[in-house]
Amino acid sequence: MSLFLSKLLPLFFYPLGLSSVLITIALVILLWRSKRSRNPSNSSKLISLFKKNRFASTLIGLALVILFLSSNEIFSKWLVRSLEWQYLPNGDIPKAEAIVVLGGGTRPRIAPRPWYEVNEAGDRILYGSWLYKQDKAPLVIVTGGRAEWLGDGGNPESEDMAAIAEFMGVPSSAIIQESQSFNTRDNAINTKAILTKKGLNKILLVTSALHMPRSMEIFRKVGVEAIAAPTDFLSVQNENNKGFALLLEFLPSVDALRNTTNAIKEYIGLLVYQLAGWA
């Protein structure tokens, strides 16, 4: 049920979905008014309706403002940094009892894919494997299931990450798969159970920097001593001076819209989890 609801949220809260809803409402209002018009053959009636119906015009104007602001690079970077820079690495990563890598960064091994694949968040398992090879912890817990009815379906994400970790040089004896979780709270609860059985509690938590604030709150809530080990940064500290190219950041960008949407998703997720008492 929570997975189903998470797919409805974009329609009402994310920039593209919200703008689509506003424009749809405005068009419905205008079409309804046009049918009531006494002069339906007038080619300029739509423009006339826009002028007469301020509410519909306001909705469309608001939708355009939302889209323009959300797809602006400057606004997008500011919003992303407000989350990502909460857990910037401060010196060397300390050692822990286990490395926990959250799912969300792989695609299942389904034809015609020749092997397990990674997406933008695939840095999670790569970084987690690298931390293991740096002797930061003797154990890697890869966590994440996969709903059969959602997306491509297929094997659990934990299986994908375990295979990639082994390819990176992590021995299978040092990998534990947690394959029953479908959200970050499940990740935390199921990981806590694994740690408790082994008498462990101090972990390095590896996930995308954007996802880290919510993840840290959730793991702390279930009683896990988590040290943030963020990766997959969308915004870096020392960006090049772009000169006149800086003007391009004021133009709409698909990447900026996607990053803004992901940041809003995290803020909404954190709020929902806090209201539910999970973070």
Side-chain angles (χ1 to χ4, degrees):
M1 186 65 177
S2 60
L3 279 175
F4 179 73
L5 291 176
S6 69
K7 295 303 171 183
L8 292 180
L9 282 177
L11 186 62
F12 301 102
F13 295 105
Y14 299 173
L16 190 59
L18 179 57
S19 299
S20 300
V21 170
L22 293 176
I23 292 174
T24 300
I25 293 173
L27 291 177
V28 168
I29 292 173
L30 292 175
L31 288 173
W32 179 69
R33 289 291 181 91
S34 67
K35 287 183 178 180
R36 297 183 60 187
S37 174
R38 295 182 178 180
N39 187 16
S41 61
N42 190 349
S43 61
S44 63
K45 66 178 179 180
L46 188 59
I47 297 176
S48 176
L49 286 171
F50 265 111
K51 292 179 179 179
K52 292 179 180 179
N53 196 306
R54 292 184 178 180
F55 180 66
S57 300
T58 300
L59 289 180
I60 292 178
L62 181 59
L64 294 176
V65 169
I66 291 172
L67 284 176
F68 180 80
L69 184 63
S70 300
S71 60
N72 180 273
E73 286 281 356
I74 295 175
F75 175 79
S76 177
K77 288 178 180 178
W78 169 79
L79 192 62
V80 164
R81 287 175 181 176
S82 69
L83 287 166
E84 286 193 339
W85 289 16
Q86 290 185 33
Y87 288 94
L88 287 178
N90 185 16
D92 194 27
I93 299 292
K95 291 189 176 183
E97 296 172 317
I99 299 166
V100 176
V101 184
L102 301 188
T106 63
R107 299 187 182 94
R109 186 179 182 179
I110 298 177
R113 294 173 185 152
W115 201 57
Y116 306 101
E117 296 184 356
V118 296
N119 55 31
E120 173 68 26
D123 297 328
R124 299 179 184 185
I125 187 56
L126 301 181
Y127 186 50
S129 301
W130 182 84
L131 287 173
Y132 174 85
K133 297 184 73 175
Q134 298 298 309
D135 295 322
K136 295 299 181 180
L139 188 67
V140 177
I141 302 175
V142 288
T143 176
R146 184 174 274 122
E148 289 291 338
W149 56 270
L150 184 63
D152 294 331
N155 50 278
E157 286 186 276
S158 61
E159 181 182 317
D160 301 352
M161 293 190 290
I164 295 170
E166 287 190 53
F167 177 76
M168 294 285 293
V170 181
S172 59
S173 59
I175 302 173
I176 294 178
Q177 294 188 41
E178 184 287 295
S179 59
Q180 302 303 311
S181 57
F182 296 104
N183 56 48
T184 310
R185 184 170 184 265
D186 287 348
N187 293 154
I189 292 174
N190 296 342
T191 298
K192 174 65 175 177
I194 293 172
L195 294 171
T196 300
K197 287 181 180 179
K198 291 187 169 293
L200 308 175
N201 193 52
K202 186 177 181 180
I203 67 166
L204 294 179
L205 183 59
V206 179
T207 188
S208 300
L210 196 69
H211 185 230
M212 186 60 76
R214 179 159 60 108
S215 301
M216 287 291 288
E217 292 298 321
I218 294 168
F219 272 78
R220 286 170 179 166
K221 192 72 174 182
V222 300
V224 175
E225 183 183 350
I227 300 170
T231 186
D232 182 29
F233 283 87
L234 298 174
S235 182
V236 297
Q237 289 180 327
N238 298 318
E239 295 186 351
N240 294 326
N241 185 0
K242 299 179 181 179
F244 287 109
L246 183 64
L247 297 175
L248 296 176
E249 294 195 350
F250 289 94
L251 299 178
S253 163
V254 173
D255 288 339
L257 179 61
R258 181 178 62 249
N259 293 342
T260 298
T261 300
N262 289 335
I264 292 173
K265 172 186 175 182
E266 286 303 319
Y267 273 116
I268 292 174
L270 184 57
L271 175 62
V272 170
Y273 275 44
Q274 286 175 339
L275 291 175
W278 297 345

